[in-house]
Amino acid sequence: MYKVLIVDDERMIREGMKKVIPWHELEIGEVWTAASGKEALALTCEKVPDIMITDISMAEMNGLELIENIQEAAPNMRILVLTGYDYFEYARECLRLSVQDFLLKPIDEEVLSEAVKRQVVWLKEREVSNMRRRTEGVASQMELEQVMNDLVHERQQKNARAQALRFVQEHFRFRYDTGLTAVVLQPEMDFTVNEQDRMLRRQQIKSICLEFIDAKGLGITFDDEEDGQTILVLSDRQCGSDTQDVIASLQDILKVEFGSSPKAAIGSKVDGFEHLAISYREAVYLLKNDEADICPILQTQNDIRRNRLFQEVYEEMKMQMCTNIGDYAYVMRIFDSFRITTQSYNLSGASVCRFCFELLADLSYAYLAAGGTVKSPALDHLMRAVHGCGGAECLELGRQYLAKMLDFGERDVHEIVAKAKRYISEHLSEDLSVGSIAESLFVSPNYFSRLFKRVAGQGCNEYIVCRRIEKACVLLETTNFNTGKIAGMVGYHDTNYFSLAFKKHCGVSPTSYRSGSRKAP
């Protein structure tokens, strides 16, 4: 059953609608009335109605102002507007505010009933669609995790393995013979934390990995059934030789969110899912034999030697260019050699950009020290030249960094965080992530993650969880919805995960919280 709020400053009209409309037949279980916009806002925060029917012409706060405020407080509410003024401007303003229907007074009982019925149908279809998407998504992820565990632990016979390979290719569009690298994440062992909190942390880390790796098509995230660690399988087609950079960026986000990040062990690249167990075993071996226990990312000796060799060649080229900074032709010739070298070592675009920025900074300093003048247009021209070599994303981050350093004032910083909070409020029941919010604000995830924590004093994911738990508390106190439904309404697809998060924040389970709140005077 759904809930309706009627707003009109004329008592006879609002009470008449409440009594005349056959609400129960329309699947409306509760109907509240408000005599003003302020009263309506208070009722909205307290009762969280699904549909609002409001007049436009009211004292203190007119209907249009009420709608604007309501859309911030309850962005998913369906809104029907009633007015005795047949003016185009009102209709146009209602369209701008994205209201669901615009009806003229005096309105026939059947017309209003039909308008409410349309909104109920829409709400039911949305619930079915959301439930289907969540159910299909969870079932698909569970099946994928089972297949991946069978592959890395080599538990399948030949026929079953072939079927698993077809499943991965058909359902997740990964070619069975694509180059792959297994990465095992080992969370820090903190014996002062209880098992329930450790389980919650593992679930949170996995959620971020799904957002950062799977949602971007970089690979597959799943839990290791045998030891509970998180495994990432990265696609060489998407990551190239940039596996270490991808993992380093992921660890940066995890460190900002949780204060620490899990150690990562990277196996060697293998050709195809059929050989994935080899890469997985190498990653596990690196973790078990890490005697130094100081490096956040562990790699095989071949990868370490390859990276070290490129670093040596790069440093030699940089020294030659800085030493001969006055010889333009020579510097450019070495720079061209640098570009060829990055291709020979199969560096990813992100890695090329990182080395180019470092090279750019050193060359600029050397040129200034030699008496030259470095102008912004010249610097920008060189950046665009590197951009042409495939470093688009990193160059974008570089421009964002420069903009922040030079003229990105504190007011603009706070505006970004304020917009992020509004976005979270408006999409609380949806799948929210640092990546999707950053994308909506046109900033990079790493930059946004750090910015949000500096301004808000807590990580973005932590803020989202707090807002979801707050809304869950309101729903537990004011509705009879079961825990599973409330979990979905506040953005949790897994009821057990929701219960863990709720107990972590409130100290009691959702059921106990509801019982306690209703016993209180």
Side-chain angles (χ1 to χ4, degrees):
M1 301 293 278
Y2 299 96
K3 298 173 287 186
V4 166
L5 172 62
I6 300 171
V7 189
D8 199 303
D9 57 2
E10 295 186 36
R11 183 174 180 277
M12 186 178 296
I13 292 177
R14 64 177 182 269
E15 292 298 330
M17 283 191 286
K18 182 176 181 180
K19 293 178 181 178
V20 170
I21 302 299
W23 299 109
H24 190 75
E25 294 178 13
L26 297 173
E27 298 185 61
I28 304 297
E30 297 177 272
V31 180
W32 297 287
T33 62
S36 67
K38 290 183 178 179
E39 185 180 352
L41 278 174
L43 275 170
T44 296
C45 295
E46 180 185 353
K47 305 295 185 181
V48 195
D50 302 292
I51 302 170
M52 179 176 74
I53 304 169
T54 182
D55 187 22
I56 281 185
S57 179
M58 294 185 294
E60 294 184 3
M61 180 189 297
N62 66 40
L64 297 177
E65 293 171 332
L66 169 62
I67 293 168
E68 287 187 293
N69 285 293
I70 284 289
Q71 288 179 333
E72 286 196 15
N76 295 319
M77 184 188 292
R78 309 295 286 176
I79 299 174
L80 307 180
V81 171
L82 302 177
T83 180
Y85 298 90
D86 189 8
Y87 292 150
F88 173 73
E89 285 301 319
Y90 280 113
R92 184 170 67 177
E93 189 67 11
C94 287
L95 289 173
R96 183 186 71 79
L97 294 170
S98 300
V99 302
Q100 276 63 56
D101 217 333
F102 181 79
L103 307 168
L104 293 176
K105 290 180 178 180
I107 186 169
D108 184 77
E109 171 189 333
E110 292 184 2
V111 173
L112 181 56
S113 295
E114 189 60 34
V116 173
K117 183 178 180 180
R118 285 195 296 271
Q119 304 314 313
V120 170
V121 169
W122 187 93
L123 288 166
K124 291 173 69 175
E125 289 177 349
R126 184 184 65 178
E127 287 179 4
V128 171
S129 176
N130 287 343
M131 182 60 69
R132 184 185 300 116
R133 186 171 64 250
R134 287 199 297 270
T135 303
E136 290 175 351
V138 170
S140 180
Q141 178 67 20
M142 289 174 63
E143 188 173 1
L144 173 64
E145 296 212 8
Q146 183 62 57
V147 168
M148 297 306 295
N149 270 280
D150 290 342
L151 288 171
V152 298
H153 294 295
E154 297 183 297
R155 295 193 294 230
Q156 298 169 318
Q157 299 299 321
K158 186 175 181 180
N159 292 339
R161 187 181 303 115
Q163 185 178 353
L165 296 176
R166 284 196 299 273
F167 171 82
V168 173
Q169 183 172 354
E170 291 172 5
H171 292 270
F172 296 91
R173 298 185 179 181
F174 283 104
R175 286 179 54 87
Y176 71 90
D177 59 349
T178 191
L180 300 170
T181 303
V183 182
V184 177
L185 302 183
Q186 183 182 65
E188 290 186 338
M189 295 301 295
D190 186 352
F191 295 102
T192 64
V193 178
N194 61 47
E195 179 59 30
Q196 190 176 66
D197 287 346
R198 281 199 294 270
M199 187 185 306
L200 178 60
R201 174 61 57 84
R202 285 198 298 269
Q203 193 70 34
Q204 291 170 330
I205 289 173
K206 181 182 176 183
S207 296
I208 292 176
C209 290
L210 286 168
E211 163 210 335
F212 191 80
I213 301 297
D214 301 54
K216 294 182 178 180
L218 299 178
I220 298 172
T221 301
F222 61 100
D223 287 330
D224 191 334
E225 291 178 349
E226 295 194 359
D227 59 18
Q229 296 178 138
T230 301
I231 302 175
L232 312 176
V233 175
L234 301 184
S235 166
D236 184 58
R237 184 183 296 271
Q238 300 298 326
C239 300
S241 63
D242 199 26
T243 302
Q244 185 176 1
D245 287 342
V246 170
I247 298 303
S249 296
L250 174 61
Q251 286 183 322
D252 282 346
I253 290 178
L254 293 174
K255 191 167 185 178
V256 170
E257 291 298 325
F258 306 120
S260 63
S261 58
K263 179 173 291 189
I266 304 175
S268 60
K269 188 182 82 171
V270 295
D271 293 325
F273 283 86
E274 190 170 0
H275 305 291
L276 183 59
I278 297 173
S279 183
Y280 166 76
R281 285 197 298 267
E282 287 183 347
V284 172
Y285 177 84
L286 290 172
L287 284 173
K288 289 182 178 178
N289 293 273
D290 178 31
E291 297 178 358
D293 196 28
I294 57 174
C295 185
I297 300 178
L298 305 176
Q299 293 179 282
T300 63
Q301 288 301 314
N302 286 339
D303 288 334
I304 292 172
R305 281 194 294 269
R306 173 181 161 278
N307 293 337
R308 185 179 298 151
L309 183 58
F310 174 80
Q311 188 72 40
E312 291 173 359
V313 173
Y314 165 73
E315 293 294 341
E316 176 64 23
M317 288 182 172
K318 182 170 65 173
M319 184 189 70
Q320 290 294 331
M321 282 188 277
C322 289
T323 303
N324 297 277
I325 194 66
D327 188 339
Y328 174 80
Y330 181 79
V331 170
M332 291 308 298
R333 189 160 62 247
I334 299 297
F335 183 77
D336 288 340
S337 297
F338 163 72
R339 294 175 61 182
I340 294 171
T341 303
T342 61
Q343 294 169 6
S344 300
Y345 280 82
N346 193 32
L347 262 65
S348 67
S351 292
V352 171
C353 274
R354 188 178 73 250
F355 284 112
C356 281
F357 277 126
E358 181 183 327
L359 181 61
L360 172 62
D362 286 356
L363 287 174
S364 299
Y365 180 79
Y367 189 52
L368 284 168
T373 302
V374 178
K375 296 182 179 179
S376 294
L379 202 61
D380 185 62
H381 177 73
L382 186 54
M383 287 182 182
R384 293 184 183 278
V386 179
H387 176 277
C389 300
E393 183 178 358
C394 195
L395 285 174
E396 179 188 351
L397 297 179
R399 287 195 298 271
Q400 292 173 1
Y401 170 79
L402 289 173
K404 176 189 174 186
M405 183 176 68
L406 299 175
D407 58 9
F408 206 65
E410 192 66 16
R411 179 182 60 82
D412 298 315
V413 169
H414 283 274
E415 180 59 21
I416 283 182
V417 174
K419 287 181 179 178
K421 289 183 176 180
R422 286 197 295 272
Y423 183 91
I424 291 167
S425 175
E426 293 167 2
H427 300 81
L428 201 59
S429 64
E430 302 172 16
D431 290 332
L432 286 170
S433 67
V434 171
S436 63
I437 298 170
E439 183 179 356
S440 74
L441 299 171
F442 305 102
V443 295
S444 73
N446 284 2
Y447 171 69
F448 170 72
S449 186
R450 294 179 183 277
L451 182 70
F452 192 98
K453 186 156 190 177
R454 178 171 70 83
V455 175
Q458 61 183 151
C460 184
N461 278 296
E462 182 184 354
Y463 178 83
I464 292 170
V465 171
C466 289
R467 298 290 78 77
R468 283 175 166 163
I469 298 303
E470 287 176 4
K471 183 175 179 180
C473 288
V474 173
L475 292 172
L476 288 167
E477 293 170 3
T478 60
T479 74
N480 291 321
F481 294 147
N482 61 41
T483 302
K485 181 176 179 61
I486 291 176
M489 293 173 70
V490 297
Y492 285 93
H493 302 166
D494 187 325
T495 304
N496 291 331
Y497 182 20
F498 165 67
S499 297
L500 281 173
F502 191 94
K503 190 168 184 179
K504 168 72 173 176
H505 281 258
C506 300
V508 295
S509 68
T511 304
S512 298
Y513 181 89
R514 168 174 275 166
S515 300
S517 67
R518 295 189 174 179
K519 288 179 182 177

